[in-house]
């Protein structure tokens, strides 16, 4: 404890909320304003050194988050609440660090995640409330029968190869994932899809929503999902639902990785 | 009923919701994008004649509404639900006609209003949730004691001359108004002011909120409101709270003017 060398690095874990509308998604890219880059730029300024921020999920352009989780290393003991306030004052109004805590050494926001909860808000009216407009999406094609969509959804629950719902440009070793929750409820003129699983492929949720909408509109049979999964063919599934309806609600961790050391 | 002359005009009553952020307020003005003008332009296009829309309250630039009421005349029997849909499809996403109904002949949205409910959302944190940012306002100056603000608020209830809270540029016959409700509650990091009365002067609510904030911060005595009212001097009251926190929730009408003929 004579100098900083006794404790050269410390891992911090943040929960971040953002309105995705103005951003090109989470992940840094050459031409685009991204949430990751905003966070790294603010941290570099505060910590006076370049800092890499790793998020649990790489949300797409226009997708929102209430509970994205990320980790990064800080060079020495920081007063985390001071750092959180300073970060929030540098970040634009569309991004807020909700929580900043010390994690156990080695905590990794993406690799340690055991599950994620996403919510999709689908508008069941011609026009959204002006107050909700940035957070809901509309799909054309007529009214939806929720009972049909729920029946189709039940076939997607459990461990499956979700290749048929995987967007192009994804480089994953396996397209198998476990879907543990798929609930569809109507609240006013909004249909809420809650989906949880141990992980999701690129565009998987938006492709599942788009396909379930076709079921709800009577364009697909509710019992066609199992056969669709078996095709492993993205061309067989429905359209990709718009990004604006999607929100990363929460990332789950096993108790060991919860990370308040 | 041989031709349209039997029923040349019909008064319609609308409830309008809007996010005020991008607009220069309700009322048409030479250089500014206003809600009234957006409505009149859309109606002119649909009805093929110039149409004047009269609102119950002239909300300021940046002020929101969930339940603004307005009336206008249509030349002949219209299928109101069709007209509402057509209006909404022409209006920007920040404005939605929530309801459109026939009113009794002579119904006047402003003159017949018997009361209004406004809500003010004040942020009690350094930074708003990204999802709430457009609808809350922050005032500097330290933490607020709600009990003090409530005590001050009780002195404002009832019939008073509110000239001390009346913004410049207002041309009203009387500055007397009756305040029937002033409730202050905290929900999470937001302080909610609910105010109802038979009418409000220009900037009255924002000036009352700004003054109550100074009471909450200990800069004014809770029991100083009665004396402040007596001064009738705007210079004696507090700062005008920002427009972004204010929302017109509902306009009340006596039963006769409710107007579904």
């Amino acid at each position: 404890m004579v100098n900083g060398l006794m404790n050269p690095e410390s891992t911090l874990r943040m929960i971040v909320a953002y309105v995705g509308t103005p951003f090109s998604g989470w992940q840094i890219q050459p031409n685009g304003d991204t949430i990751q880059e905003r966070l790294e730029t603010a941290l570099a300024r505060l910590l006076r050194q370049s800092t890499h921020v790793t998020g649990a999920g790489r949300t797409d352009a226009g997708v929102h988050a209430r509970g994205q989780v990320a980790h990064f290393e800080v060079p020495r003991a920081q007063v985390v609440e001071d750092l959180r306030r300073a970060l929030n004052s540098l970040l634009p109004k569309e991004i807020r660090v909700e929580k900043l805590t010390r994690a156990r050494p080695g905590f990794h926001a993406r690799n340690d995640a055991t599950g994620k909860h996403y919510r999709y808000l689908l508008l069941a009216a011609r026009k959204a409330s002006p107050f909700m407009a940035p957070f809901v999406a509309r799909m054309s094609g007529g009214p939806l029968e929720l009972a049909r969509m729920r029946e189709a959804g039940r076939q997607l629950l459990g461990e499956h190869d979700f290749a048929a719902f995987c967007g192009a440009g994804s480089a994953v070793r396996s397209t198998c994932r476990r879907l543990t929750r798929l609930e569809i409820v109507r609240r006013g003129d909004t249909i809420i899809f809650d989906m949880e699983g141990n992980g999701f492929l690129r565009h998987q949720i938006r492709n599942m929503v788009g396909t379930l909408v076709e079921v709800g509109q009577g364009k697909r049979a509710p019992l066609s999902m199992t056969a669709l999964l078996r095709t492993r063919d993205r061309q067989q599934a429905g359209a990709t639902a718009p990004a604006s309806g999607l929100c990363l609600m929460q990332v789950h961790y096993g108790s060991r990785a919860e990370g308040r050391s």
Side-chain angles (χ1 to χ4, degrees), chain A residues 58-73:
Chain A
R58 298 176 193 137
T59 54
D60 290 324
V63 171
H64 318 291
R66 288 187 180 269
Q68 170 75 287
V69 175
H71 79 269
F72 58 97
E73 308 290 322

Side-chain angles (χ1 to χ4, degrees), chain A residues 10 13 32 48 56-57 105 120-121 128 136 163-164 181 194 222 226 246:
Chain A
S10 166
R13 174 182 189 264
R48 294 162 194 269
Y120 196 93
L121 300 185
V136 297
R181 179 186 179 201
D194 279 302
T226 304
L246 187 59

